[in-house]
Amino acid sequence: MKGLIVLHFSGQIWRPPFEAHTALLQVTAGCMHHKCKFCSLYDGTPFRMSPMSEIEADLAELSWFYPKTKRVFLTGANPFGLEHDKLTAIISKIKEYLPRVASIGCFARIADIKCKTQGEINELHALGCDGISIGTETGDDITLAYMNKGNTASDIVEQLHKLDNAGIGYHIVFMNGLAGAGNGKRHALESARIYNQVNPVSINIVALTIFPESELHKEVLAGSYTPAGELEKLIELRTFIEILTIATRINANTISNTAPFIADLPGGKKAVIKELQKTICSIDESQLAAYRNGIRSL
């Protein structure tokens, strides 16, 4: 009988909450971009692609312990940014060792989609790529530029439409409070305007939490960036939800959210707005700030 499963994981391993029961396979470590000011998720981990020998060894382990698994999630900040031939070779190996796998997900950046043709994306979908998680964070061009995201708001629409055309489902992120103090309304309006033009399976709300390892933390200390207050973040989130017109699921239930909820839009919009307003009117800024300051990791 096989003993303890040993896989070649290195650095920080992240996956979306909804991938909790998905088999994980490391194909990259760290982030190819590693320039977003707010991010500390891969601090100290240089980008690295796993050699195929490690990938095959891990697949052999997964095939022993999870031979019937139907989904695999590729770990690393943005495996979708790998060259097309490398990505298709990895998928072929997955199918060889885990023939029941029907879908393969991963994290991606907008720039990762931009570097692929529509034909390549169509092929990836045919091979099983689906349920991609994309760190959009914001649809506000001012904030995108300031945070060094490496794409524009129009890029978000253009590139996600390539996934739509291929039939690839995707999840995107809205980082509540990212634009800083006094900019919440603009951030909500511009982000909702862009997100209303795409078709995400879900929008995952992450409230900005600034950790010491991030470049943004240095700017806070230098006085060049002022974070939005906690009540301002909730007002911004309420505005964002109000302006959204698309049918999607809102997941605002991670540790970063001071007023956690899950809702399906448009049907659940009124109830969510009511609850957010209730929180805004009933809780003190100091209570919310104390909660935020107590978060040690996402």
Side-chain angles (χ1 to χ4, degrees):
M1 180 178 290
K2 290 275 283 187
L4 181 69
I5 186 169
V6 178
L7 301 178
H8 290 89
F9 289 121
S10 59
Q12 303 88 338
I13 307 300
W14 301 96
R15 50 102 181 126
F18 43 81
E19 301 284 5
H21 302 291
T22 303
L24 304 181
L25 176 68
Q26 177 170 292
V27 298
T28 64
C31 178
M32 294 181 195
H33 183 61
H34 204 60
K35 294 177 182 177
C36 297
K37 290 184 179 182
F38 58 85
C39 186
S40 60
L41 294 182
Y42 298 93
D43 178 62
T45 301
F47 176 77
R48 171 184 181 267
M49 178 183 170
S50 299
M52 191 60 80
S53 59
E54 288 185 5
I55 293 172
E56 281 205 67
D58 288 352
L59 284 169
E61 291 290 298
L62 289 173
S63 70
W64 178 272
F65 284 91
Y66 306 106
K68 297 181 181 180
T69 190
K70 295 182 179 180
R71 180 166 172 81
V72 170
F73 188 83
L74 310 180
T75 67
N78 55 323
F80 204 76
L82 293 174
E83 293 178 4
H84 183 68
D85 290 347
K86 290 181 180 178
L87 199 48
T88 55
I90 291 169
I91 294 171
S92 294
K93 284 296 178 184
I94 292 172
K95 298 294 184 70
E96 179 183 332
Y97 282 88
L98 299 166
R100 298 196 185 191
V101 166
S103 68
I104 298 162
C106 65
F107 286 122
R109 300 179 61 249
I110 291 297
D112 301 335
I113 307 169
K114 193 172 186 177
C115 72
K116 290 178 170 53
T117 67
Q118 184 67 64
E120 288 173 336
I121 291 172
N122 292 348
E123 181 182 355
L124 288 171
H125 181 242
L127 290 172
C129 280
D130 200 17
I132 307 299
S133 293
I134 303 163
T136 46
E137 272 77 60
T138 173
D140 176 38
D141 272 321
I142 295 173
T143 305
L144 285 165
Y146 186 84
M147 294 296 168
N148 292 332
K149 278 296 296 177
N151 62 266
T152 65
S154 61
D155 287 335
I156 293 173
V157 177
E158 182 178 351
Q159 299 311 313
L160 293 187
H161 282 175
K162 285 163 69 174
L163 299 186
D164 290 331
N165 292 338
I168 293 179
Y170 53 88
H171 310 268
I172 62 177
V173 173
F174 175 62
M175 188 165 283
N176 185 211
L178 189 59
N183 300 312
K185 184 175 182 180
R186 186 198 76 223
H187 190 231
L189 293 175
E190 286 300 303
S191 296
R193 181 179 67 83
I194 292 299
Y195 289 15
N196 278 337
Q197 299 176 60
V198 296
N199 304 284
V201 175
S202 72
I203 299 176
N204 301 293
I205 310 297
V206 178
L208 177 64
T209 308
I210 303 173
F211 294 104
E213 298 82 7
S214 68
E215 181 65 28
L216 198 57
H217 184 261
K218 297 175 184 177
E219 296 197 5
V220 172
L221 294 179
S224 55
Y225 178 87
T226 303
E230 297 303 321
L231 288 172
E232 183 180 356
K233 287 177 185 174
L234 291 178
I235 293 169
E236 175 189 313
L237 180 56
R238 182 194 64 194
T239 302
F240 176 72
I241 299 294
E242 285 174 341
I243 304 300
L244 281 178
T245 58
I246 55 174
T248 191
R249 168 160 286 195
I250 302 293
N251 293 317
N253 60 336
T254 66
I255 193 172
S256 73
N257 301 108
T258 57
F261 66 90
I262 296 176
D264 292 315
L265 301 188
K269 179 184 288 193
K270 288 184 179 179
V272 166
I273 292 171
K274 182 179 179 180
E275 285 303 309
L276 284 172
Q277 186 59 43
K278 181 179 177 181
T279 301
I280 291 165
C281 293
S282 63
I283 198 163
D284 185 81
E285 174 75 27
S286 62
Q287 291 177 275
L288 297 175
Y291 175 81
R292 178 77 52 211
N293 293 334
I295 298 175
R296 294 291 173 259
S297 173
L298 295 179

